[in-house]
Amino acid sequence: MTTTGSAAPTPARRRGRPGHDQAAILRTAVELFNRKGYDATSMGDLAKELGLTKAAIYHHVTSKEQLLGEALDDALDELTAVVDEAMRDRAGTTAYARLREVTRRSVEVLVAHQPSVTLLLRVRGNSAVELAALERRRWLDDRLAELVAAAVAEGSLRGDVPPALVSRLLFGMVNSLVEWYRADGMFDPVTIADVISLIAFDGLARHEA
Amino acid sequence: MTTTGSAAPTPARRRGRPGHDQAAILRTAVELFNRKGYDATSMGDLAKELGLTKAAIYHHVTSKEQLLGEALDDALDELTAVVDEAMRDRAGTTAYARLREVTRRSVEVLVAHQPSVTLLLRVRGNSAVELAALERRRWLDDRLAELVAAAVAEGSLRGDVPPALVSRLLFGMVNSLVEWYRADGMFDPVTIADVISLIAFDGLARHEA
C-alpha cells in the first residue's frame, strides 16, 4: 500500500509545481483537519503549513469547504464501491461470504485512505457538506445492516441478535483502526482483517470440540 | 443518570446561581467541544451558549484547558476504576471472567459518561493536558492487553491471535458506541453489552453442533 522509497519517476503532468499541486494541498489540508480539527483550521494555517501564500492556494481551490468535500468524497466513494459490490447478489455467493468480504475490503480501504476516512468518521454535520456526507454514511450503514439481516435469514448468522446493532458494532470495530493503525506499526492489514473476521464470526472463546 | 426535571432541592453550596455553577459550565463546555471541536471553541462561544459574560465564567473556572482537563479526568477516573477492579486477581475468578466483566462495565461507563468519553476518544495530544490524558489512556490499553494475554495463558481464549491487537479491536468495538448510542435510541445498554460479548467471545457464525 505504501510507495515510500520508490525511485520510479512520477508523471510530469501532475508535478508542474512539485508538492504544491491540488492533490498535495488536499493531502496537507486533511492532515491539518485531523490534527487541529476542521473548524479550528484556517486557510491561513494551511498556507503556512505548505509554505505558500493564501493567494497561491486559492489559485487551486475555491474554499476550505471544497477541500473538506473532496476528502469526504474520496473516503465515501471508496467505501460505496466496496458496499455496492457486496450488495450485488451474485449466483453462488452467500450473504455470509459477502459480509466477510465487505469486512475485509473495508479494512483495505481504511488503511489505504486512512486520513480521509478519519476525517469522515469525525464529521458532526456542522455544514451542508458535512450533512451530505452523513447522509451517504447512513446509506452505507443501512446497506450493511441489510447484509447482516440477509446472512441471518439464510441461516449463516445467529438469529438472536438485532442486525442493525450487529452491523454498527462490527463496523465500529473495523472503523476503530483509523485511530491506531500505523503503516510502520506492529500489525499489517491482512493480519488485522483476519483477526477482525475471527473475532466477529468465530469468537475469541476457545470452543470445546 | 440525568437529573433533568427533578424537583428535589439541591444543596445550596453548589447552587448559588442555579444552572451557572461549575458543573453546569463544564457540562455545556463538553457539549460544545464535542460539537465544534475543542480548538475551535472559545470561552466567548461558551459564554454565549450559557447566556453569561466571560467574566462570570472566569469566576468559576480559570481557563478552557481547565475545563478540558476536568472532563478528561471524569472519563479517565471512571475507566481506570473499572480496569483497576478487573486487574485485581481475586481468588476464584478467571482472567476470562474479568475480561467479560470489564467489557460490560466499560459499556456502562461509556453510556453514563458519554460526553466526556467522546471528548477523551478524540484527544490528539495538542497540549500538555491532552498528552497527559493520552498517557493515562495508554496505561489502560496496556492493562487490557495484559488481561487478554492472561485469558489466553489460562486457556480460556484462543491462542492464535495477538493479545495487543485483540484488546484494541475489542475495545474499539466498545468505544464505537459513543458515536451512535442515544439514550432514547433503539438499543439499551444491557442489550448492547450482551451483543458485544456475544460477538467478541462467541462469534456471530452459527456454529454447527
Side-chain angles (χ1 to χ4, degrees):
Chain A
M1 289 296 167
T2 172
T3 57
T4 315
S6 162
T10 46
R13 116 193 98 78
R14 296 290 296 275
R15 291 283 177 184
R17 303 177 59 187
H20 296 157
D21 63 358
Q22 192 167 344
I25 291 171
L26 182 60
R27 218 160 32 235
T28 302
V30 171
E31 193 272 316
L32 263 185
F33 296 162
N34 283 331
R35 175 148 46 97
K36 291 169 62 87
Y38 173 75
D39 291 305
T41 304
S42 68
M43 289 297 260
D45 295 332
L46 179 57
K48 195 172 163 190
E49 186 81 13
L50 285 161
L52 292 176
T53 61
K54 280 211 274 183
I57 290 181
Y58 282 114
H59 180 69
H60 293 281
V61 298
T62 60
S63 65
K64 187 173 87 158
E65 197 157 42
Q66 182 201 333
L67 290 166
L68 177 65
E70 285 181 11
L72 297 178
D73 280 346
D74 171 62
L76 285 161
D77 290 350
E78 293 289 331
L79 293 169
T80 301
V82 166
V83 169
D84 271 343
E85 174 67 18
M87 296 308 290
R88 284 204 303 119
D89 196 355
R90 287 151 289 168
T93 69
T94 60
Y96 180 60
R98 288 180 285 128
L99 182 62
R100 292 191 76 127
E101 180 67 12
V102 76
T103 304
R104 171 168 300 282
R105 296 215 36 220
S106 296
V107 171
E108 292 169 3
V109 169
L110 264 61
V111 164
H113 299 259
Q114 189 175 10
S116 55
V117 177
T118 302
L119 195 59
L120 174 67
L121 295 176
R122 294 193 191 146
V123 154
R124 305 262 74 79
N126 291 339
S127 65
V129 165
E130 294 193 13
L131 288 170
L134 286 181
E135 191 61 36
R136 289 187 68 185
R137 266 198 78 181
R138 203 165 302 123
W139 186 89
L140 294 169
D141 290 344
D142 289 347
R143 296 294 83 68
L144 293 168
E146 283 173 22
L147 194 54
V148 171
V152 170
E154 75 186 13
S156 315
L157 291 195
R158 43 195 309 161
D160 55 351
V161 289
L165 181 54
V166 166
S167 66
R168 276 177 183 171
L169 292 169
L170 173 56
F171 290 92
M173 176 160 61
V174 170
N175 291 341
S176 76
L177 74 88
V178 304
E179 298 298 332
W180 52 262
Y181 175 77
R182 297 290 170 268
D184 59 354
M186 270 195 294
F187 306 110
D188 64 278
V190 172
T191 302
I192 293 169
D194 285 346
V195 173
I196 289 174
S197 281
L198 190 147
I199 292 176
F201 300 109
D202 303 319
L204 289 167
R206 196 184 281 276
H207 297 291
E208 305 303 329
Chain B
M1 289 302 163
T2 172
T3 58
T4 315
S6 162
T10 46
R13 121 193 94 78
R14 294 290 297 277
R15 290 285 176 181
R17 303 178 59 186
H20 297 155
D21 63 357
Q22 192 167 345
I25 291 170
L26 181 59
R27 218 161 31 236
T28 302
V30 171
E31 193 273 316
L32 263 185
F33 296 162
N34 283 332
R35 177 150 42 98
K36 291 168 63 87
Y38 172 74
D39 290 305
T41 304
S42 69
M43 289 296 259
D45 295 332
L46 179 57
K48 194 171 162 190
E49 186 81 11
L50 285 161
L52 292 175
T53 62
K54 280 212 272 183
I57 292 180
Y58 283 115
H59 180 69
H60 294 281
V61 299
T62 60
S63 66
K64 186 173 88 159
E65 198 158 43
Q66 183 201 332
L67 290 166
L68 177 65
E70 285 181 12
L72 297 178
D73 280 346
D74 171 62
L76 285 161
D77 290 351
E78 294 288 332
L79 293 169
T80 302
V82 166
V83 169
D84 272 342
E85 175 67 19
M87 297 308 291
R88 285 203 305 118
D89 196 356
R90 287 151 288 167
T93 68
T94 59
Y96 179 60
R98 288 181 285 127
L99 181 62
R100 292 191 75 125
E101 179 66 12
V102 76
T103 304
R104 172 169 299 280
R105 295 213 40 218
S106 296
V107 171
E108 292 169 3
V109 169
L110 265 60
V111 164
H113 299 260
Q114 188 175 9
S116 55
V117 176
T118 302
L119 195 60
L120 174 66
L121 294 176
R122 294 195 192 146
V123 153
R124 305 263 75 79
N126 292 338
S127 66
V129 166
E130 294 193 13
L131 288 169
L134 286 181
E135 191 59 39
R136 289 187 69 187
R137 266 198 76 179
R138 202 166 301 122
W139 185 89
L140 293 170
D141 290 343
D142 289 347
R143 296 297 82 68
L144 293 168
E146 283 173 24
L147 194 54
V148 171
V152 170
E154 76 186 11
S156 314
L157 291 195
R158 44 195 308 162
D160 54 352
V161 289
L165 180 54
V166 166
S167 67
R168 276 177 183 172
L169 291 170
L170 173 57
F171 289 93
M173 176 160 59
V174 170
N175 291 342
S176 76
L177 76 88
V178 304
E179 297 298 333
W180 52 261
Y181 175 76
R182 298 291 170 268
D184 60 354
M186 270 195 294
F187 306 111
D188 64 279
V190 173
T191 301
I192 293 169
D194 285 345
V195 172
I196 289 174
S197 282
L198 191 147
I199 293 176
F201 299 110
D202 302 318
L204 288 167
R206 196 184 280 275
H207 298 291
E208 305 304 328

